[in-house]
Amino acid sequence: MTSSPIVVQVVVDKPLAQGFDYLWDVKDLGLEPQVGQLVEVPFGRSTIVGLVIKVSAHSDYSVDKLKSVAQVCPLSPLDAATLRLMNFASQYYIHGLGETIIPSIPKMWRKAADWTKNFSKIHQSASKKTNKKVAAPLEADGYISETQLNKVQTAALGELRKKEAQEFTCFLLQGQTGSGKTAVYLNWLQTVLEEPNSQALILVPEINLTPQLERRVRAYFPHKKMVVLHSGVSENKRGLAWYEAAAGKAQIILGTRLAALTPLPNLRAIVVDEEHDSSYKQQDGIRYSARDLAVWRAHDLKIPIVLVSATPSLETWLAGKSGRYQHLRLDQRAQGAGLPKVNLINTKDARNQFSPGDEDRPIEKISLSKPLVNAVRESLANKKQSLILINRRGFAPVISCNACSWLSKCHQCSSYLVMHKAGALGRKASLSCHHCGLMRPVPSSCPDCGNVDLKPLGQGTQKLEDAIASLWSSARVLRIDTDSSRTSKGAEALFQEIHNGSADIVVGTQMIAKGHDYQNIGLVAVLDADSRLFSQDFRAPERLFAQLVQVAGRAGRASRDGEDGGNIYIETQFPDAAVFQYLLKHDVDGFLSYIAGEREEAKLPPFTYQGLVHAEAKSLEKSLHFLGSLKGRLKDAGLITKDLQVYDPVPRSMMKIAGSERAQLVVESSDRRTLQDALEWIDRDLREISQGRISKGSKVRWLIERDPISI
């Protein structure tokens, strides 16, 4: 009697909605199939890595036509909870299950030819490990024991500990910058991790925040195994760290958004630090929010999650105000110091500008206001460090010809080529596109008229660094941006120069603004804040306010009771704008309440739900026509109703990138389920006329995005 064949359904990393059936030969493979196993399967003319999602004895296709699984990865199958998370992410964000799961696995495990070798490395590494004596935590490493917490921190810790059992609770831990939020949640995690083999996930928005936090976590947990997961970790190290997390060997997992999808079989608690940060939203592939998936994961596992921020996102803040999240507050700085004083410099006021007769007037090329120059001088005299933030890297945003008005445009994008001075990117002075990466040498004359008098317009971090070094020649000036951090030093070494006092004035982009616990910053300055104040993106003011609060919070962090909390100077032409007026009062709740009123009146998120259909092609006309036809089919199907609004297709704000011209279609509803049904209908509709995600006739590439953060 012939036994029934074993058929497994496998999903692969292709833009396809369905899985594929394969035969499983127990004798050949040496084991029974399990859902969650990583396998190698023949696909087309080659082989590919996929994941088993179903095991059965039947297939809708003739068994004779089915190919067989070629190889099984020696790793344990993904656990059931991780598969539930992946299924939810795939469905909610309208992305194929294989496209969701496989990219979340490190490359080390996506190459079947290396499976045996990599698994041997793991066992060899484990056998070589010896028990090392670990030093006790030191206060210098950022360790603050429970007995050192102030009353407000102790109260918040007590509330967190009330929910340690297997119960879902989402906490919003909102606290002023420098209020000791990290000390609260790390003391809480000490209790959570007392349970043998328990795991905790700590998410941070950016790579640059991980080294400092990593040292601090290790101070709290010197005897716990911790792994770090982010894109800056080498592929081998990330692969080994992912394995140790998935196998339950690591108890603390610290990482950026990619860590949110890591298999964690014994997960007991989640912390999302700086929960408001837009970096938690993936901007290619599956457009997921790591913060939102973390909340779903905690709910699914019935475990507590803590969302931490000085400036919560409007969505999270409203959930805290309504009682859906438990709102914990830290309304004073940990050491009792005052908050930094906010100084608004109206750049339209002539009294704030240097005049030709001023004796202390800086050189012509320095475009700093008089109050700011005087403040930096005072800070230097007081042996305090200054941070100057300008959100433009490079030397100048554009170069121009005075004769014919030529501008250094990128011919591949709807943007300008930024001038970088020699050495910044390991090359000669160059023009660079920050969107597509195009590089060009700086022309010696105008390409249009031949004029040799080309002028850099505006200023970036490099120009500001040179200007400040000229103005204060005895000061030690340090520039921190993505260009300077590409050097052999790296970002962490640059930040260390601030911590150890090797820099007097630090010039940088938003990299310098987030999370760092600087001890001697007396002054923070923000230049060109207005460039982020007015935007077609309705979230721009919210993002600017959060950034200003974050960068202001770098000042006066080491001050004690009654001491000055430092100063922040903001240059603006619009000092009466709500963003700046609420900042003057350090009124985070007032500002969030203000923009909540604006959003509700305009029926914008979070009071409505949105999806985007992206389209890109060789011409804008094709992209717009593709989306216009889609809207027509939605109307014909009767889906456009009073409950579902579909706007006309429009070009993206950055219309052209790398030669592709882009458009978008906004789909909106006040009901989450209605929107989800519409997006699923759109996905099915577009797949019928496409090969993968490229339309068959017009060759338009498309993608659906749920809950976009930028429109």
Side-chain angles (χ1 to χ4, degrees):
M1 183 176 177
T2 305
S3 60
S4 299
I6 300 176
V7 178
V8 294
Q9 190 172 96
V10 175
V11 291
V12 297
D13 185 14
K14 297 289 183 184
L16 303 167
Q18 78 276 18
F20 298 88
D21 288 352
Y22 290 90
L23 292 174
W24 185 285
D25 190 327
V26 174
K27 184 177 179 181
D28 182 48
L29 298 173
L31 73 167
E32 296 286 337
Q34 293 184 65
V35 170
Q37 280 176 316
L38 205 59
V39 294
E40 182 187 28
V41 293
F43 194 87
R45 297 181 179 178
S46 60
T47 59
I48 194 171
V49 169
L51 193 99
V52 175
I53 61 166
K54 184 179 178 182
V55 179
S56 69
H58 305 284
S59 173
D60 292 337
Y61 303 94
S62 170
V63 173
D64 297 340
K65 295 182 179 180
L66 297 184
K67 297 178 181 179
S68 297
V69 172
Q71 188 184 170
V72 183
C73 181
L75 294 176
S76 299
L78 298 188
D79 61 279
T82 300
L83 291 174
R84 291 196 301 272
L85 174 68
M86 297 293 186
N87 270 292
F88 169 77
S90 169
Q91 293 168 12
Y92 185 79
Y93 292 106
I94 323 291
H95 212 69
L97 184 57
E99 293 178 286
T100 302
I101 296 176
I102 304 302
S104 75
I105 298 170
K107 290 180 182 178
M108 177 177 177
W109 302 109
R110 282 188 260 155
K111 192 174 180 181
D114 293 340
W115 280 345
T116 303
K117 178 181 68 177
N118 289 337
F119 208 68
S120 297
K121 280 183 187 176
I122 288 173
H123 287 292
Q124 289 168 8
S125 175
S127 64
K128 289 178 182 177
K129 286 181 180 176
T130 57
N131 292 324
K132 296 179 182 178
K133 188 175 181 180
V134 184
L138 300 173
E139 190 168 344
D141 293 323
Y143 179 80
I144 299 173
S145 68
E146 183 178 346
T147 58
Q148 294 172 291
L149 301 178
N150 62 33
K151 289 182 180 179
V152 179
Q153 290 172 303
T154 301
L157 178 59
E159 290 298 316
L160 289 174
R161 285 181 172 164
K162 287 180 183 178
K163 302 288 185 179
E164 283 165 13
Q166 288 291 99
E167 176 184 355
F168 168 71
T169 307
C170 187
F171 295 94
L172 165 57
L173 180 59
Q174 180 181 347
Q176 296 171 348
T177 54
S179 61
K181 299 182 291 294
T182 306
V184 171
Y185 74 68
L186 289 179
N187 272 281
W188 170 62
L189 289 179
Q190 281 186 318
T191 309
V192 172
L193 293 173
E194 285 175 356
E195 180 187 338
N197 302 320
S198 58
Q199 294 179 299
L201 172 63
I202 305 173
L203 294 177
V204 293
E206 292 187 14
I207 293 172
N208 298 317
L209 299 184
T210 52
Q212 185 180 0
L213 184 57
E214 180 183 352
R215 288 193 299 271
R216 195 165 182 187
V217 174
R218 290 194 191 281
Y220 276 82
F221 304 98
H223 303 288
K224 301 288 186 185
K225 174 67 178 176
M226 179 171 77
V227 294
V228 178
L229 289 166
H230 58 70
S231 58
V233 176
S234 70
E235 284 300 334
N236 267 2
K237 284 185 178 178
R238 185 191 159 204
L240 291 172
W242 183 88
Y243 163 77
E244 291 184 313
K249 298 176 185 290
Q251 284 192 265
I252 304 166
I253 296 83
L254 172 64
T256 52
R257 65 173 178 264
L258 60 82
L261 296 173
T262 301
L264 301 168
N266 304 313
L267 187 58
R268 296 291 179 268
I270 302 174
V271 173
V272 183
D273 210 346
E274 310 288 1
E275 68 81 26
H276 64 276
D277 200 290
S278 60
S279 298
Y280 282 121
K281 185 68 156 64
Q282 176 84 356
Q283 291 301 312
D284 53 26
I286 176 172
R287 305 286 181 98
Y288 68 89
S289 163
R291 178 201 62 198
D292 294 351
L293 285 183
V295 173
W296 187 93
R297 191 172 193 177
H299 183 271
D300 178 61
L301 292 173
K302 297 181 174 60
I303 62 173
I305 179 171
V306 182
L307 307 180
V308 184
S309 180
T311 54
S313 63
L314 184 58
E315 292 83 354
T316 299
W317 184 77
L318 288 171
K321 296 291 285 185
S322 69
R324 190 157 57 90
Y325 293 172
Q326 188 169 337
H327 200 166
L328 307 177
R329 306 185 67 104
L330 303 179
D331 288 327
Q332 67 182 56
R333 282 190 153 182
Q335 297 165 333
L339 289 168
K341 181 185 176 183
V342 179
N343 303 273
L344 300 178
I345 303 171
N346 186 346
T347 54
K348 290 190 293 187
D349 188 337
R351 291 171 296 179
N352 291 329
Q353 306 303 326
F354 287 97
S355 61
D358 290 336
E359 292 182 5
D360 59 348
R361 184 186 185 205
I363 60 174
E364 284 289 338
K365 293 182 180 178
I366 301 179
S367 55
L368 297 177
S369 63
K370 185 186 293 187
L372 180 54
V373 169
N374 292 334
V376 173
R377 284 175 177 154
E378 184 179 349
S379 183
L380 289 170
N382 292 333
K383 306 298 182 185
K384 290 285 188 179
Q385 295 171 303
S386 299
L387 290 185
I388 301 181
L389 174 75
I390 181 168
N391 239 3
R392 286 201 192 104
R393 62 186 175 95
F395 188 83
V398 64
I399 60 173
S400 170
C401 172
N402 286 344
C404 72
S405 300
W406 170 86
L407 295 171
S408 55
K409 288 185 177 180
C410 175
H411 69 267
Q412 295 187 152
C413 303
S414 306
S415 65
Y416 295 100
L417 297 175
V418 177
M419 180 181 173
H420 289 261
K421 67 179 184 179
L425 297 173
R427 301 177 177 87
K428 296 179 179 179
S430 62
L431 297 175
S432 171
C433 177
H434 291 177
H435 297 279
C436 71
L438 178 70
M439 302 265 317
R440 292 283 185 269
V442 177
S444 56
S445 60
C446 175
D448 285 357
C449 73
N451 176 36
V452 295
D453 188 20
L454 299 180
K455 300 287 186 182
L457 302 181
Q459 63 183 353
T461 50
Q462 294 172 355
K463 185 175 182 181
L464 193 59
E465 176 192 24
D466 289 351
I468 287 173
S470 299
L471 182 56
W472 292 287
S473 57
S474 61
R476 297 166 297 178
V477 182
L478 177 68
R479 174 170 55 87
I480 299 182
D481 54 27
T482 53
D483 295 335
S484 63
S485 63
R486 288 193 189 115
T487 65
S488 57
K489 281 186 176 181
E492 175 59 9
L494 293 172
F495 288 124
Q496 194 57 44
E497 290 189 36
I498 305 177
H499 291 295
N500 64 24
S502 299
D504 299 313
I505 302 174
V506 181
V507 175
T509 58
Q510 61 179 350
M511 286 176 66
I512 65 175
K514 299 178 182 178
H516 298 282
D517 193 15
Y518 308 127
Q519 295 298 298
N520 192 39
I521 301 295
L523 179 146
V524 170
V526 180
L527 310 185
D528 197 28
D530 297 340
S531 66
R532 285 156 285 155
L533 182 60
F534 300 105
S535 168
Q536 67 178 32
D537 186 354
F538 62 85
R539 290 185 176 88
E542 182 183 357
R543 291 197 184 113
L544 175 59
F545 184 81
Q547 187 181 70
L548 293 175
V549 170
Q550 289 292 323
V551 72
R554 300 316 106 199
R557 295 177 72 88
S559 302
R560 300 284 171 177
D561 289 340
E563 290 183 353
D564 180 19
N567 282 276
I568 175 171
Y569 287 80
I570 302 170
E571 293 189 344
T572 175
Q573 296 185 54
F574 308 98
D576 293 331
V579 167
F580 303 128
Q581 288 301 308
Y582 282 105
L583 188 70
L584 276 174
K585 299 176 286 185
H586 298 279
D587 189 0
V588 174
D589 293 273
F591 176 74
L592 290 171
S593 180
Y594 169 79
I595 61 169
E598 282 193 333
R599 299 263 193 94
E600 186 172 22
E601 185 177 349
K603 294 183 172 58
L604 288 169
F607 300 98
T608 190
Y609 304 99
Q610 291 181 330
L612 277 183
V613 185
H614 299 270
E616 59 178 63
K618 289 299 179 184
S619 71
L620 180 62
E621 183 184 3
K622 279 188 175 183
S623 295
L624 291 171
H625 182 265
F626 176 84
L627 294 175
S629 297
L630 170 61
K631 181 179 179 180
R633 294 194 297 276
L634 281 163
K635 187 176 182 180
D636 292 344
L639 293 174
I640 300 178
T641 65
K642 63 181 179 64
D643 297 321
L644 186 78
Q645 177 76 40
V646 180
Y647 296 91
D648 289 335
V650 294
R652 295 291 308 274
S653 56
M654 181 61 66
M655 187 189 77
K656 184 178 179 183
I657 287 186
S660 292
E661 303 209 2
R662 313 182 309 159
Q664 66 183 26
L665 184 75
V666 177
V667 184
E668 190 176 85
S669 176
S670 59
D671 179 69
R672 192 187 292 272
R673 184 67 252 178
T674 299
L675 176 63
Q676 189 71 20
D677 289 343
L679 295 180
E680 289 175 359
W681 187 95
I682 290 170
D683 184 59
R684 292 191 299 271
D685 174 81
L686 293 181
R687 286 185 184 279
E688 287 180 4
I689 63 169
S690 304
Q691 183 74 36
R693 281 205 181 81
I694 300 177
S695 62
K696 293 173 184 174
S698 55
K699 303 299 181 186
V700 175
R701 184 179 296 275
W702 58 271
L703 181 77
I704 298 171
E705 180 177 4
R706 187 74 164 82
D707 301 336
I709 61 167
S710 180
I711 292 181

